[in-house]
Amino acid sequence: MPLVLTEEQAMLRDAARGFLSEHAPIAHFRKLRDAKDPLGFSRDLWRSMGEMGWAGVLVPEAFGGSGLGYVEAGVILEEAGRTLTPSPLLSTAVVAATLLNRFGSDAQKQKYLPGIAKGEAVLALAVDEAPKHKPEAVALTATRSGNGFRLSGTKVLVLDGAAADTLIVAARTAGSAGETDGVTLFLVDGAAKGLARDATVLVDYRNAARLTLDNVEVDADAVLGTLDQGFGALAVGLDAGRAGLAAELVGSASQTFDLTVDYLKERKQFGRTIGEFQALQHRASHLFTELELARAASLKALQTLDAKPDGAGPIVSLAKAKAGSVAKLASQEGVQMFGGMGMTDDVDVGLFMKRIRVAQEVFGDPAFHADRIARLRGY
């Protein structure tokens, strides 16, 4: 497929840019940050996203959603990346919706998908248990108990975990940590007895959570997908999140680049605007070409998820790694070209640097994905 948006997708991009610029500018993010909002996002804005059809972008029309695809989800996330919009779009509308669509029972779909589509429900995926992303290292245990299971263990860096109504928890029902067999996904009520949530404010001021599960009881209907064979489903959900994060990183990097170029046209040194200096022009040109490569890789990953999701792993990892590396470069160049003031709170470029560094790590950094591509290719 051509690596360009269709007319309808371009219209969605323009609508998303206009809506977010008006209702969720960077000032909106700053307000939540300064108020130390416990959720880290606005419930009203989330409901508005439901009314716009964004919360249900991947939810089938039969359950009240828009029934669109990953390219459309990526278009929205890229624009959200431009304004640092805090919302459950990634955790709920992309990752959770993907898992429920692909692997949920009819009863689970009926229970959760309409709430997602309306922008009322918040779901979060709990997978990692250590500082670095390693999904196969699931050690949290799920042991048989009557007609259900008891879950015990901890999870870290659970995006939107402090606000989630329902958690999708990866647990080990067989085997040992490091094995892909024996992993099962469970739907856990956010108010379940024995579940403790410790909200963690990340360096980019977004909220995540550390979860502690102490003999949390769930029944057999809480299993999402197939018992002991949940790692394949987990990989599908993670790839959806990785592609979404790649799109968001492209948006954040693009906005950082735009802010930097505007500054190069305004800042004067030695009687000339600094954008006239050839060295800075070369650096800006190099960054522009890298951004276009990252945007192409991101779009290709999203298109592949729509066309053949089970074979999208390598291109998704490529897109996540490339977008993360280019976004990091964009933020570093932005801060350097702004000078020392680039890291002050008065200048937005420093906020983008912090967000980019967190998004680069979530669901695997470039080194993780380079290794994953090699393994998927048989090396």
Side-chain angles (χ1 to χ4, degrees):
M1 292 181 65
L3 294 177
V4 294
L5 298 178
T6 65
E7 183 178 352
E8 291 78 10
Q9 290 162 351
M11 290 174 63
L12 175 61
R13 176 199 61 199
D14 295 341
R17 185 171 299 180
F19 178 86
L20 293 173
S21 296
E22 180 180 354
H23 298 283
I26 295 178
H28 169 77
F29 165 73
R30 286 180 177 272
K31 182 178 179 181
L32 290 172
R33 179 202 66 176
D34 294 344
K36 295 181 172 57
D37 188 275
L39 294 181
F41 65 90
S42 166
R43 287 274 189 182
D44 290 338
L45 180 62
W46 182 226
R47 281 190 287 269
S48 295
M49 289 182 175
E51 293 170 0
M52 296 285 289
W54 300 352
V57 63
L58 296 177
V59 175
E61 293 181 2
F63 297 101
S66 303
L68 299 176
Y70 288 100
V71 173
E72 287 79 8
V75 164
I76 297 166
L77 282 165
E78 182 174 339
E79 295 308 314
R82 284 182 172 273
T83 59
L84 298 176
T85 303
S87 76
L89 273 170
L90 182 74
S91 62
T92 303
V94 174
V95 177
T98 293
L99 288 169
L100 287 163
N101 273 333
R102 289 286 307 276
F103 307 103
S105 65
D106 291 340
Q108 289 170 340
K109 292 177 181 179
Q110 189 61 54
K111 181 177 180 180
Y112 296 106
L113 289 179
I116 292 175
K118 293 177 183 177
E120 295 176 352
V122 176
L123 284 78
L125 174 65
V127 54
D128 286 316
E129 301 178 19
K132 299 297 285 187
H133 182 60
K134 194 173 182 181
E136 67 274 15
V138 171
L140 184 147
T141 60
T143 56
R144 289 279 188 179
S145 176
N147 190 39
F149 297 84
R150 289 179 182 266
L151 278 60
S152 294
T154 60
K155 296 291 183 181
V156 300
L157 197 62
V158 181
L159 298 183
D160 296 315
D165 309 301
T166 303
L167 297 153
I168 301 175
V169 179
R172 186 158 293 283
T173 46
S176 57
E179 298 177 356
T180 55
D181 288 340
V183 174
T184 303
L185 300 182
F186 292 91
L187 289 158
V188 179
D189 191 299
K193 182 180 179 181
L195 172 64
R197 298 192 269 189
D198 181 18
T200 304
V201 180
L202 304 177
V203 69
D204 63 346
Y205 308 112
R206 303 294 183 93
N207 283 326
R210 176 185 176 88
L211 308 181
T212 302
L213 291 83
D214 183 10
N215 287 319
V216 173
E217 294 187 2
V218 297
D219 58 32
D221 293 338
V223 173
L224 177 60
T226 304
L227 187 68
D228 293 339
Q229 301 299 315
F231 191 80
L234 178 61
V236 170
L238 286 172
D239 274 344
R242 290 160 179 159
L245 273 170
E248 182 191 317
L249 282 162
V250 169
S252 294
S254 298
Q255 185 64 19
T256 302
F257 176 76
D258 291 345
L259 291 171
T260 303
V261 170
D262 288 344
Y263 185 71
L264 294 179
K265 296 176 180 178
E266 297 171 359
R267 170 67 173 166
K268 290 188 176 182
Q269 190 72 31
F270 307 114
R272 303 166 61 187
T273 57
I274 61 175
E276 295 181 58
F277 295 117
Q278 193 173 54
L280 296 185
Q281 291 176 353
H282 286 170
R283 288 166 65 178
S285 298
H286 173 248
L287 179 55
F288 175 80
T289 58
E290 288 294 300
L291 275 170
E292 290 304 301
L293 288 172
R295 179 172 284 108
S298 172
L299 181 55
K300 181 62 176 178
L302 294 163
Q303 290 176 342
T304 305
L305 280 173
D306 281 328
K308 44 182 180 179
D310 292 330
I315 184 61
V316 167
S317 279
L318 185 151
K320 178 63 164 62
K322 184 63 176 178
S325 298
V326 172
K328 179 181 177 182
L329 175 64
S331 65
Q332 290 175 331
E333 291 286 55
V335 167
Q336 287 191 21
M337 292 186 194
F338 267 87
M341 65 182 294
M343 283 304 294
T344 67
D345 200 53
D346 292 333
V347 178
D348 290 339
V349 69
L351 300 177
F352 281 97
M353 169 175 267
K354 293 171 183 175
R355 175 57 187 163
I356 285 167
R357 290 308 298 268
V358 171
Q360 186 185 34
E361 290 290 329
V362 173
F363 297 157
D365 62 12
F368 170 90
H369 287 290
D371 179 73
R372 182 178 185 234
I373 291 171
R375 292 176 184 276
L376 289 172
R377 294 303 189 194
Y379 291 97

